[in-house]
């Protein structure tokens, strides 16, 4: 009987002060000073989880990630009560990683000590840039100085596992400005740094009114120079956009990329879950919750519950689903993980990879699924080959 993969939990907080023009997440701007329905949302989250508990199959959580929106708009007391409710319903791995996303604006500062005391042990700060012009172009509500002050306060609160989110390829950005952002970020000595390129996603303001972005040659220069600088600073790249000091890779994101399972609670949250059918064969389901915060809160008293839809990942889709995650990892994954996480024979995946091997997009290793340096540069081409191979 195949063993079920590790289990994580994602908690979505849908509110933010102002919707950023590049953001395609389920976030809803509420303005400054608006009192959010903390008690109602907490009750809904726990009711949502109660309905999903049979899907956890008694497995301990290896990680919890609280994302948004802007989770740091909610109080430390909210998270203390939430984590207490989670611990009453689910077992926690002894090394559980509990991450909270936070914005470094002055609205949220002063709460970091309370978050740490509530049990959150990893903080992810959405800095994006330290440059005033770039922050204004991105619609951010903080300054570079705010970001520095927030990190200093987080350290004082006892956080020893911090991630900084930085973006590159921003409107008006030169290689010099991108590297300056990295230097200022590195000076703060984060344990983890997510450094990703701005993309114009559908259903965003930037997609309908695109800003002028750097030319492709400039983007390549930024990427090459930035990667070299991060590696020299002791932050090793382990995923296309993620760099970490030894022992500080994100457990939650690694579980995603290794095709682990995760529950999702909160407005618009998603889940990926494995279960055995009567024959002991692994079946993989994706499900998603009601998106609009007001509708989500009403579902607590609705017999339909919180689920908006679900779908089973069929055999034809499995190779691409697995590859979309695993191939983002610089070291790839052992091919044995394919069988362990999907319950399907390795040959089912291997047949999809012949063309990619011929093009030099994969490392020649019979035991691993790993993109070559060229494959990491042209990941979309690599995934297209997996997708176009047809059903084995």
């Amino acid at each position: 009987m195949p063993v079920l993969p590790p289990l994580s939990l994602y908690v979505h907080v849908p509110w933010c002060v102002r919707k950023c023009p590049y953001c395609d997440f389920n976030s809803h701007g509420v303005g400054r000073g608006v009192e959010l329905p903390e008690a109602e949302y907490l009750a809904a989250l726990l009711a949502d989880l109660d309905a999903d508990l049979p899907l956890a199959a008694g497995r301990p959580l290896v990680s919890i990630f609280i994302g948004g929106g802007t989770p740091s708009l909610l109080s430390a007391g909210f998270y203390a009560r939430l984590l207490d409710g989670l611990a009453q319903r689910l077992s926690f791995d002894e090394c559980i990683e509990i991450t909270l996303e936070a914005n470094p604006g002055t609205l949220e500062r002063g709460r970091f000590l309370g978050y740490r005391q509530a049990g959150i042990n990893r903080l992810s700060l959405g800095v994006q840039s330290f440059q005033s012009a770039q922050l204004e172009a991105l619609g951010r509500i903080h300054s570079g100085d705010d970001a520095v002050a927030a990190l200093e306060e987080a350290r004082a609160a006892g956080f020893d596992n911090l991630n900084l989110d930085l973006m590159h390829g921003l409107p008006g950005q030169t290689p010099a400005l991108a590297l300056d952002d990295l230097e200022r970020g590195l000076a703060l000595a984060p344990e983890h740094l997510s450094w990703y390129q701005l993309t114009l996603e559908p259903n965003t303001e930037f997609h309908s009114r695109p800003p002028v972005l750097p030319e492709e040659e400039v983007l390549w220069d930024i990427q090459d120079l930035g990667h070299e600088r991060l590696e020299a600073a002791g932050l090793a790249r382990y995923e296309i956009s993620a760099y970490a000091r030894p022992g500080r890779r994100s457990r939650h994101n690694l579980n995603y990329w290794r095709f682990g399972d995760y529950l999702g609670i909160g407005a618009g949250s998603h889940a990926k879950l494995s279960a055995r059918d009567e024959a002991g064969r692994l079946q993989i389901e994706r499900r998603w919750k009601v998106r609009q915060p007001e509708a989500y809160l009403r579902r607590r008293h609705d017999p339909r519950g919180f689920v908006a839809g679900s779908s089973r990942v069929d055999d034809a889709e499995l190779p691409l689903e697995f590859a979309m995650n695993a191939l983002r990892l610089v070291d790839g994954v052992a091919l044995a993980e394919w069988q362990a996480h999907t319950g399907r024979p390795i040959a089912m995946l291997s047949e999809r990879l012949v063309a990619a091997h011929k093009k030099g997009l994969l490392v020649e290793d019979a035991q691993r699924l790993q993109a070559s340096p060229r494959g990491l540069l042209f990941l979309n081409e690599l995934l297209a080959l997996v997708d176009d191979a047809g059903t084995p």
Side-chain angles (χ1 to χ4, degrees):
M1 297 275 281
V3 176
L4 295 179
L7 182 68
S8 295
L9 173 68
Y10 176 75
V11 182
H12 191 74
V13 176
W15 298 286
C16 54
V17 173
R18 182 172 67 191
K19 179 85 170 180
C20 295
Y22 59 86
C23 176
D24 69 336
F25 297 143
N26 183 36
S27 58
H28 304 264
V30 295
R32 291 183 179 273
V34 174
E35 185 173 350
L36 296 175
E38 288 196 359
E40 295 87 348
Y41 198 62
L42 176 64
L45 287 173
L46 294 177
D48 190 356
L49 178 60
D50 284 337
D52 282 356
L53 281 180
L55 304 170
R59 288 177 286 172
L61 293 180
V62 298
S63 64
I64 299 169
F65 193 99
I66 305 163
T70 304
S72 52
L73 287 177
L74 300 182
S75 70
F78 173 89
Y79 290 113
R81 293 188 293 273
L82 173 64
L83 292 175
D84 182 61
L86 298 181
Q88 291 175 20
R89 291 162 170 82
L90 294 162
S91 61
F92 289 5
D93 182 88
E94 62 180 10
C95 298
I96 190 169
E97 173 192 273
I98 305 175
T99 302
L100 177 79
E101 285 187 334
N103 280 350
T106 55
L107 183 66
E108 297 86 25
R109 290 216 307 271
R111 294 181 170 178
F112 292 138
L113 179 59
Y115 294 149
R116 186 70 190 90
Q117 292 172 338
I120 293 160
N121 56 27
R122 184 175 183 268
L123 205 60
S124 180
L125 292 173
V127 175
Q128 315 312 355
S129 177
F130 291 93
Q131 316 291 332
S132 297
Q134 273 68 53
L135 288 169
E136 183 177 353
L138 293 174
R140 304 296 288 173
I141 63 171
H142 68 272
S143 68
D145 289 342
D146 287 335
V148 174
L151 188 135
E152 290 173 348
E153 184 171 333
R155 291 294 194 206
F159 282 99
D160 62 358
N161 195 1
L162 292 174
N163 170 65
L164 296 185
D165 271 354
L166 288 176
M167 300 174 72
H168 61 89
L170 307 180
Q173 192 176 54
T174 63
L177 287 173
L179 285 176
D180 185 67
D181 271 346
L182 285 182
E183 292 297 344
R184 294 184 67 177
L186 290 171
L188 300 173
E191 284 73 28
H192 191 284
L193 198 146
S194 298
W195 190 60
Y196 51 95
Q197 184 176 322
L198 172 64
T199 56
L200 306 184
E201 301 291 347
N203 303 315
T204 65
E205 183 181 333
F206 272 3
H207 192 266
S208 58
R209 293 196 296 271
V212 178
L213 301 180
E215 297 289 337
E216 187 170 346
E217 185 177 331
V218 174
L219 293 175
W220 281 112
D221 286 344
I222 289 173
Q223 184 170 311
D224 290 344
L225 293 168
H227 171 70
E228 182 179 326
R229 180 66 189 95
L230 287 164
E231 293 275 352
L235 286 158
R237 185 189 195 192
Y238 70 99
E239 187 268 344
I240 285 180
S241 304
Y243 296 75
R245 301 195 186 281
R248 294 299 193 175
R249 296 180 176 188
S250 167
R251 294 191 74 192
H252 190 84
N253 288 337
L254 281 172
N255 194 41
Y256 282 160
W257 296 321
R258 290 171 175 162
F259 213 52
D261 281 355
Y262 50 94
L263 294 164
I265 59 173
S269 62
H270 284 242
K272 177 253 173 186
L273 295 155
S274 304
R276 300 185 187 95
D277 63 16
E278 292 180 357
R281 180 176 162 102
L282 275 180
Q283 301 295 329
I284 296 171
E285 180 190 39
R286 293 195 181 276
R287 54 169 49 199
W288 49 96
K289 304 296 175 59
V290 173
R291 284 179 57 85
Q292 293 295 324
E294 295 80 7
Y296 178 84
L297 289 171
R298 289 195 298 270
R299 286 292 186 101
R300 181 183 165 211
H301 305 290
D302 190 320
R304 292 175 296 174
F306 298 92
V307 177
S310 65
S311 64
R312 191 176 74 83
V313 182
D314 63 36
D315 282 359
E317 299 169 319
L318 266 177
L320 180 61
E321 286 261 359
F322 186 82
M324 284 176 65
N325 294 282
L327 289 172
R328 292 184 63 90
L329 291 169
V330 173
D331 296 334
V333 298
L335 274 176
E337 290 196 32
W338 157 265
Q339 195 158 2
H341 285 46
T342 69
R344 307 307 192 266
I346 291 173
M348 180 182 171
L349 176 65
S350 299
E351 291 173 17
R352 292 286 191 106
L353 306 176
V354 174
H357 276 293
K358 288 180 178 178
K359 287 199 165 193
L361 299 176
L362 290 172
V363 171
E364 293 290 343
D365 187 334
Q367 303 301 317
R368 298 193 68 76
L369 174 65
Q370 181 180 0
S372 66
R374 174 181 170 81
L376 287 171
L377 289 175
F378 299 101
L379 186 60
N380 287 339
E381 179 184 351
L382 174 54
L383 293 173
L385 289 173
V386 177
D387 194 25
D388 292 344
T391 305

